[in-house]
């Protein structure tokens, strides 16, 4: 007799889409195939190899149905050998079951009755694709570990680009993949699917074919290298396995496979068997892993207070290997901060498909205890040296139309980078003093690079976020002065400028010859500081389109007299800005959803204008 019962929508979807990876049970499609050939599901769960042998030899089953069920049964066999679902296979014997998963899913996708495009909306193809991606993750991770073992075992002859597997011919294709520092092999490969982050609002992926991996590069010496920049030490990778053969029989019998690895920033798809196949990618995992391992937050505070293990000069980090065909977004953090200030901004930019195709993100990490003019000069030098090394002709797209984004003190530095001093600062701090010839020569040598500058020509757009262009009263009040006393400048810096500070003090009528203390960054942010007052009205280059994002802490206070808790609106406001958006927020407004949407809007507008 036939009976009937009802399913809820949730039960129906779970029945359709549940499988070994999601529920721990064989999918409904595989169970039906087992029943069709007269096998018992319970026995297949206990003895999957027997079921595999019978299903492989039974006639009258459509190849799509047979191959997809075999792939899941092989997955069951492979997972039964693992300590847990996330463990990398420990022995060579264990890897063969994973290879059979990949082989049968590959055969289903490319050598069954229909093409992947004809099955695009089918749940079963998505399940099988997931079996393939997961098996590739396991196989490539195991092969990578064999590479590392071979390096440690000096007695074994081993080639890094041709892993060995008994009974198999293994080749590799690493087209377009380049690791930071041009190293041959990373320290580790981490499956992106195994990573969960706190502090990141979203995880941006691209569904498709292949295993999503993150390479771990040793970048511990980056800040000590002569080179002013470092590429992302945790680059994203997409790995595939290609089985040789021109038909189904050859694919199911071949003992040759090719490991294909691609940079997902460079390649969104790959040509396989006459079809353009989209590549899977995870654009958040590498960035999140880098920040999680960076230790930036503690280091930034140590740098501010002048403690050991901080940094004493700017360093530029690239979120991906340099791409001459993508324009640059350059980010500058604020006081006591680090690249972590941009965690969600950079992630949301890289998560936008259009922006990711046209931009690459660079972030400057600099010591926020240094005086503004010294940091400004050092950051300029870092950017210019990096561009000179990577694009000496400045003819690539990367050097044309840089977008500069600065938050808080980084916004003040950003405005200096797109401004011209026009001799005003030199006149303000040097020419108006009656210096003896020797002192004037000393000032020329030490201060001219700090006080004479033009807008960086490659920068064409700037976004200033909660930037105290005219200083803030907080830096000069009792609390600000108390905090400033904890800030320590490097002894080498004090010694370098001691003689010129003394020379200026001896000619300053207001100082009465008293020693002038070299100001630190907090001193420079006071609304009464001579440098911030002298630079407040420097002209921004007419070639630069600029925007302001400002925070208002209390919506009940009139905008003109409001602040964000640290920076007054009157200080953050810039006449002539193409756009000015005020959001109800505290000072860290750059991390709010509204500000990030505004940044993305500006970047899309920039793309439109740049293409016209």
């Amino acid at each position: 007799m036939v009976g009937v019962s009802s399913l809820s929508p949730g039960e129906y979807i779970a029945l359709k889409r549940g499988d070994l990876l999601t529920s721990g049970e064989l999918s409904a499609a595989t169970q039906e195939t087992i029943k069709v050939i007269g096998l018992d599901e319970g026995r297949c769960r206990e003895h999957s190899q027997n079921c595999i042998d019978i299903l492989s030899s039974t006639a009258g089953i459509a190849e799509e149905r047979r191959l997809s069920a075999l792939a899941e049964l092989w997955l069951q066999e492979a997972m039964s050998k693992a300590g847990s679902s996330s463990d990398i296979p420990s022995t060579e014997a264990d890897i063969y079951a994973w290879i059979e998963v990949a082989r049968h899913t590959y055969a289903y996708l490319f050598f069954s009755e229909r093409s992947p495009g004809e099955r695009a909306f089918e749940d079963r193809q998505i399940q099988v694709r997931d079996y393939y991606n997961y098996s590739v993750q396991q196989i490539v991770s195991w092969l990578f570990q064999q590479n590392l073992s071979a390096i440690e075992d000096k007695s074994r002859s081993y080639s890094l680009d041709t892993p060995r597997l008994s009974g198999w011919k293994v080749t590799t294709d690493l087209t377009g993949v380049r690791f930071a520092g041009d190293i041959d092999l990373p320290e580790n490969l981490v499956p992106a699917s195994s990573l969960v982050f706190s502090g990141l609002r979203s995880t941006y992926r691209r569904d498709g074919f292949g295993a999503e991996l993150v390479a771990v590069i040793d970048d511990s010496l980056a800040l000590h290298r002569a080179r002013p920049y470092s590429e992302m030490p945790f680059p994203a990778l997409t790995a595939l396995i290609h089985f040789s053969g021109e038909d189904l029989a050859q694919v199911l019998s071949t003992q040759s496979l090719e490991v294909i690895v691609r940079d997902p920033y460079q390649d969104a798809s790959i040509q396989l068997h006459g079809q353009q196949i989209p590549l899977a990618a995870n654009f958040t995992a590498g960035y999140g892993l880098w920040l999680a391992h960076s230790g930036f937050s503690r280091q930034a505070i140590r740098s501010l207070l002048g403690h050991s293990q901080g940094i004493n000069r700017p360093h530029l980090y690239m979120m991906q290997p340099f791409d001459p065909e993508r324009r640059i977004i350059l980010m500058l953090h604020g006081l006591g901060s680090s690249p972590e200030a941009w965690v969600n901004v950079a992630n949301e930019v890289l998560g936008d498909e259009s922006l990711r195709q046209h931009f690459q993100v660079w972030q400057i990490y600099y010591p926020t205890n240094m005086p503004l003019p010294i940091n400004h000069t050092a950051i300029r030098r870092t950017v210019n040296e990096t561009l000179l090394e990577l694009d000496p002709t400045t003819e690539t797209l990367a050097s044309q139309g840089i977008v500069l984004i600065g938050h808080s003190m980084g916004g003040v530095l950003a405005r200096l980078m797109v401004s011209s001093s026009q001799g005003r600062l030199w006149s303000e701090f040097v020419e108006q003093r009656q210096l003896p010839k020797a002192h004037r020569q000393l000032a020329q040598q030490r201060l001219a690079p700090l006080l004479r500058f033009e807008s960086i020509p490659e920068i064409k757009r700037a976004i200033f976020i909660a930037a105290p262009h005219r200083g803030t009263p907080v830096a000069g009040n009792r609390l600000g002065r108390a905090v400033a006393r904890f800030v320590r400048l490097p002894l080498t810096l004090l010694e370098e400028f001691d003689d010129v500070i003394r020379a200026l003090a001896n000619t300053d009528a207001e100082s009465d010859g008293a020693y002038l203390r070299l100001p630190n960054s907090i001193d420079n942010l006071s609304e009464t500081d001579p440098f911030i007052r002298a630079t407040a009205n420097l002209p921004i280059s007419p070639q630069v389109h600029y925007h302001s994002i400002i925070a208002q802490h209390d919506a009940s206070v009139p905008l003109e007299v409001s602040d964000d808790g640290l920076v007054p609106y009157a200080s953050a406001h810039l006449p002539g800005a193409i756009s000015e958006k005020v959001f109800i927020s505290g000072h860290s407004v750059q991390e709010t959803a509204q500000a990030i949407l505004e940044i993305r809007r500006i970047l899309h507008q920039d793309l439109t204008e740049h293409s016209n």
Side-chain angles (χ1 to χ4, degrees):
M1 297 177 63
V2 176
V4 64
S5 60
S6 299
L7 293 174
S8 69
E11 291 171 330
Y12 171 71
I13 294 297
L15 180 64
K16 282 188 63 180
R17 300 181 183 175
D19 63 5
L20 203 60
L21 288 180
T22 60
S23 67
E25 301 292 335
L26 292 173
S27 66
T30 295
Q31 292 181 38
E32 289 171 0
T33 302
I34 290 172
K35 292 175 184 176
V36 165
I37 62 174
L39 295 176
D40 179 71
E41 178 193 345
R43 289 182 62 82
C44 284
R45 186 182 302 114
E46 296 175 4
H47 306 285
S48 53
Q49 188 62 60
N50 289 340
C51 287
I52 288 170
D53 294 339
I54 294 172
L55 181 56
S56 298
S57 59
T58 300
I61 303 293
E63 288 300 346
E64 280 189 10
R65 192 170 192 178
R66 183 203 311 274
L67 292 169
S68 60
L70 284 170
E72 191 169 11
L73 288 170
W74 274 113
L75 179 64
Q76 180 178 261
E77 177 75 6
M79 292 176 67
S80 69
K81 300 176 181 297
S84 71
S85 60
S86 61
D87 284 348
I88 297 174
S90 57
T91 68
E92 190 173 69
D94 294 340
I95 203 66
Y96 295 122
W98 289 108
I99 290 178
E100 292 306 324
V101 178
R103 184 206 297 270
H104 284 82
T105 54
Y106 193 87
Y108 165 89
L109 290 167
F110 299 109
F111 292 96
S112 56
E113 293 90 339
R114 294 179 294 166
S115 70
E118 293 174 295
R119 295 185 297 248
F121 293 100
E122 295 184 10
D123 293 332
R124 188 55 166 168
Q125 176 160 279
I126 295 174
Q127 289 177 327
V128 174
R129 181 209 63 188
D130 289 344
Y131 305 157
Y132 174 85
N133 291 355
Y134 187 55
S135 64
V136 171
Q137 171 186 303
Q138 299 297 90
I139 297 166
V140 172
S141 296
W142 184 85
L143 291 173
F144 175 79
Q145 292 299 324
Q146 301 311 298
N147 272 350
L148 293 184
S149 299
I151 293 174
E152 295 170 0
D153 185 356
K154 303 298 184 182
S155 65
R156 295 171 61 188
S157 174
Y158 209 82
S159 173
L160 295 180
D161 57 355
T162 54
R164 288 182 181 176
L165 181 62
S166 298
W168 283 83
K169 177 184 178 182
V170 181
T171 57
T172 59
D173 175 4
L174 307 179
T175 303
V177 174
R178 182 178 61 80
F179 298 122
D182 294 325
I183 68 169
D184 296 324
L185 193 71
E187 287 192 333
N188 197 9
L189 281 183
V190 179
S193 61
S194 68
L195 301 174
V196 179
F197 299 101
S198 59
L200 277 167
R201 189 173 298 131
S202 306
T203 297
Y204 285 100
R205 298 181 54 260
R206 181 174 61 216
D207 280 334
F209 197 50
E212 303 160 22
L213 302 171
V214 178
V216 178
I217 309 297
D218 182 10
D219 198 47
S220 59
L221 300 178
L223 295 179
H224 304 288
R225 297 173 183 152
R227 194 174 66 180
Y229 67 90
S230 297
E231 294 174 335
M232 169 61 75
F234 295 90
L237 302 174
T238 301
L240 312 172
I241 288 181
H242 165 72
F243 293 89
S244 62
E246 298 301 323
D247 57 35
L248 179 60
Q250 291 178 4
V251 169
L252 292 180
S253 62
T254 185
Q255 294 299 112
S256 298
L257 64 83
E258 181 180 35
V259 177
I260 302 172
V261 183
R262 292 290 185 266
D263 177 349
Y265 285 95
Q266 298 292 336
D267 297 305
S269 63
I270 189 171
Q271 186 81 11
L272 289 173
H273 304 288
Q275 303 171 66
Q276 201 68 24
I277 306 299
L279 290 179
N282 190 310
F283 300 104
T284 296
Y287 181 53
L289 197 60
W290 173 55
L291 290 179
H293 285 77
S294 67
F296 280 146
S297 56
R298 292 183 178 181
Q299 189 181 51
I301 296 301
R302 289 197 296 265
S303 299
L304 177 63
L305 301 179
H307 292 175
S308 62
Q309 298 181 334
I311 61 172
N312 56 20
R313 65 179 183 273
H315 193 79
L316 190 152
Y317 284 99
M318 301 175 182
M319 300 300 97
Q320 65 186 83
F322 175 69
D323 186 346
E325 298 306 315
R326 282 180 168 89
R327 292 168 55 214
I328 297 165
I329 299 173
L330 181 62
M331 298 180 176
L332 288 173
H333 60 78
L335 179 70
S337 190
S338 71
E340 283 186 310
W342 302 111
V343 53
N344 283 304
V345 180
N347 186 47
E348 297 289 332
V349 168
L350 296 176
D352 185 305
E353 179 70 23
S354 179
L355 297 181
R356 185 172 63 247
Q357 289 178 359
H358 293 90
F359 287 109
Q360 55 192 316
V361 174
W362 292 7
Q363 295 183 1
I364 293 286
Y365 181 31
Y366 65 95
T368 60
N369 59 333
M370 296 290 196
L372 282 178
I374 292 175
N375 255 333
H376 167 233
T377 302
I379 290 171
R380 276 177 172 263
R381 184 185 306 116
T382 299
V383 174
N384 289 332
E385 288 178 356
T386 301
L387 289 173
L388 182 62
E389 180 174 338
L390 298 176
D391 184 20
T393 65
T394 67
E395 293 179 354
T396 70
L397 189 60
S399 298
Q400 299 172 19
I402 294 176
V403 178
L404 179 61
I405 308 177
H407 171 248
S408 190
M409 187 170 76
V412 177
L413 291 166
R415 193 177 69 81
L416 293 176
M417 293 171 68
V418 295
S419 300
S420 170
S421 65
Q422 295 186 335
R424 297 183 188 180
L425 302 183
W426 181 258
S427 175
E428 177 80 18
F429 290 97
V430 178
E431 284 188 355
Q432 293 183 11
R433 292 175 168 85
Q434 299 299 317
L435 293 176
K437 182 178 180 180
H439 289 173
R440 179 172 289 276
Q441 290 175 341
L442 179 65
Q444 176 74 23
Q445 177 185 353
R446 304 286 176 77
L447 298 183
L450 308 180
L451 302 178
R452 289 176 169 165
F453 50 83
E454 299 294 330
S455 174
I456 296 178
E458 290 84 4
I459 299 174
K460 300 300 183 185
R461 190 176 299 270
I463 306 174
F464 308 117
I465 306 174
H469 300 296
R470 297 172 182 81
T472 170
V474 175
N477 65 18
R478 180 178 298 178
L479 177 61
R481 292 195 302 271
V483 173
R485 283 196 290 270
F486 287 100
V487 175
R488 294 290 182 268
L489 297 176
L491 182 60
T492 54
L493 179 68
L494 296 174
E495 292 174 346
E496 179 183 357
F497 285 93
D498 179 73
D499 49 1
V500 70
I501 289 293
R502 289 182 181 277
L504 293 177
N506 290 332
T507 59
D508 192 329
E510 296 181 2
S511 71
D512 295 326
Y515 179 66
L516 294 181
R517 180 176 64 88
L518 187 66
N520 57 44
S521 55
I522 296 181
D523 296 325
N524 281 152
L525 292 178
S526 170
E527 60 184 357
T528 60
D529 177 72
F531 184 79
I532 202 76
R533 294 176 65 181
T535 59
N537 295 313
L538 291 180
I540 294 176
S541 168
Q543 304 301 317
V544 175
H545 304 284
Y546 59 95
H547 309 256
S548 294
I549 295 176
I550 300 173
Q552 184 179 9
H553 181 68
D554 187 347
S556 65
V557 176
L559 179 61
E560 290 74 14
V561 295
S562 68
D563 59 50
D564 61 16
L566 291 175
V567 177
Y569 168 81
S571 182
H573 169 73
L574 280 179
I578 291 176
S579 66
E580 177 181 283
K581 291 294 180 70
V582 180
F583 299 111
I584 305 304
S585 169
H587 184 60
S588 295
V589 62
Q590 86 283 2
E591 282 290 283
T592 66
Q594 301 97 316
I596 293 174
L597 287 174
E598 172 63 5
I599 293 170
R600 288 171 62 169
R601 182 196 69 79
I602 293 170
L603 292 173
H604 279 287
Q605 175 186 333
D606 184 89
L607 284 180
T608 300
E609 294 178 2
H610 199 269
S611 62
N612 293 335

